[in-house]
Amino acid sequence: MRHEIEQRQRWMAILARASREELELAYADLAVDLDFRWLRMPESGLALVRGRAGGTGSLFNLGEVTMTRCALKMSDGTTGFAFILGRDRRRAELAAIFDAVLRRADEKAASALQFVVKMGQAQAARRELKSRKAASTKVNFFAMTRGMSPE
């Protein structure tokens, strides 16, 4: 059960970071029926982002970000949820559709999983490239103390 929850969290993170274009292309290839009803239509709002000093220190309020959330129920009863940064309602809708399809146990779920895995690999490659570019500009500063010779 725990593994299943962690897997779903990874899928949701990938879907939340995916661009609208990636989701549209994957959705067109998926060929899923659009028979769903909204449990919560896409709506935009603000969410407070918190950080930790040094990554592990005390919490502080970093600021607010715009996010969009939605929930839907497919005709077969599976539900899909999405929380994304920004105001792109269509992107949130597509992420929720993918979430619902991934909860199924059929060939559509296997196809959707392949798309999500590919999106995750593309995101990891972009992160790695960004990290390498940042690392190439890193400057290591160090201090040297000079001893005085007794003369």
Side-chain angles (χ1 to χ4, degrees):
M1 178 71 175
R2 182 180 166 99
H3 174 69
E4 188 177 310
I5 292 170
E6 290 172 355
Q7 184 67 32
R8 186 159 290 132
Q9 288 173 341
R10 283 192 289 271
W11 295 337
M12 292 297 292
I14 291 168
L15 290 170
R17 287 189 302 260
S19 70
R20 183 177 182 172
E21 293 77 25
E22 287 175 318
L23 290 171
E24 289 282 6
L25 287 171
Y27 179 74
D29 289 342
L30 192 60
V32 168
D33 60 340
L34 282 177
D35 195 18
F36 68 86
R37 67 180 177 87
W38 290 112
L39 299 175
R40 180 184 298 268
M41 291 192 64
E43 58 187 8
S44 298
L46 294 175
L48 180 65
V49 178
R50 301 185 83 189
R52 287 194 179 272
T56 58
S58 60
L59 283 171
F60 65 94
N61 294 339
L62 187 61
E64 292 179 333
V65 295
T66 305
M67 63 168 283
T68 304
R69 67 179 180 178
C70 67
L72 53 83
K73 189 172 200 172
M74 302 295 269
S75 60
D76 65 356
T78 56
T79 55
F81 304 91
F83 293 85
I84 63 161
L85 290 177
R87 294 180 176 199
D88 192 341
R89 293 175 180 210
R90 175 66 177 161
R91 190 171 140 225
E93 176 185 338
L94 290 168
I97 289 171
F98 268 94
D99 182 46
V101 172
L102 285 167
R103 293 172 189 255
R104 294 180 179 177
D106 59 4
E107 69 279 347
K108 294 288 186 192
S111 298
L113 182 58
Q114 288 177 351
F115 290 125
V116 172
V117 168
K118 286 179 187 175
M119 282 184 233
Q121 290 169 344
Q123 290 171 6
R126 285 193 298 265
R127 245 187 336 268
E128 177 68 24
L129 179 63
K130 194 179 221 181
S131 178
R132 283 187 190 167
K133 284 183 179 179
S136 70
T137 63
K138 184 178 179 180
V139 177
N140 292 320
F141 293 97
F142 61 93
M144 260 176 59
T145 59
R146 291 184 359 173
M148 300 293 286
S149 63
E151 292 184 62

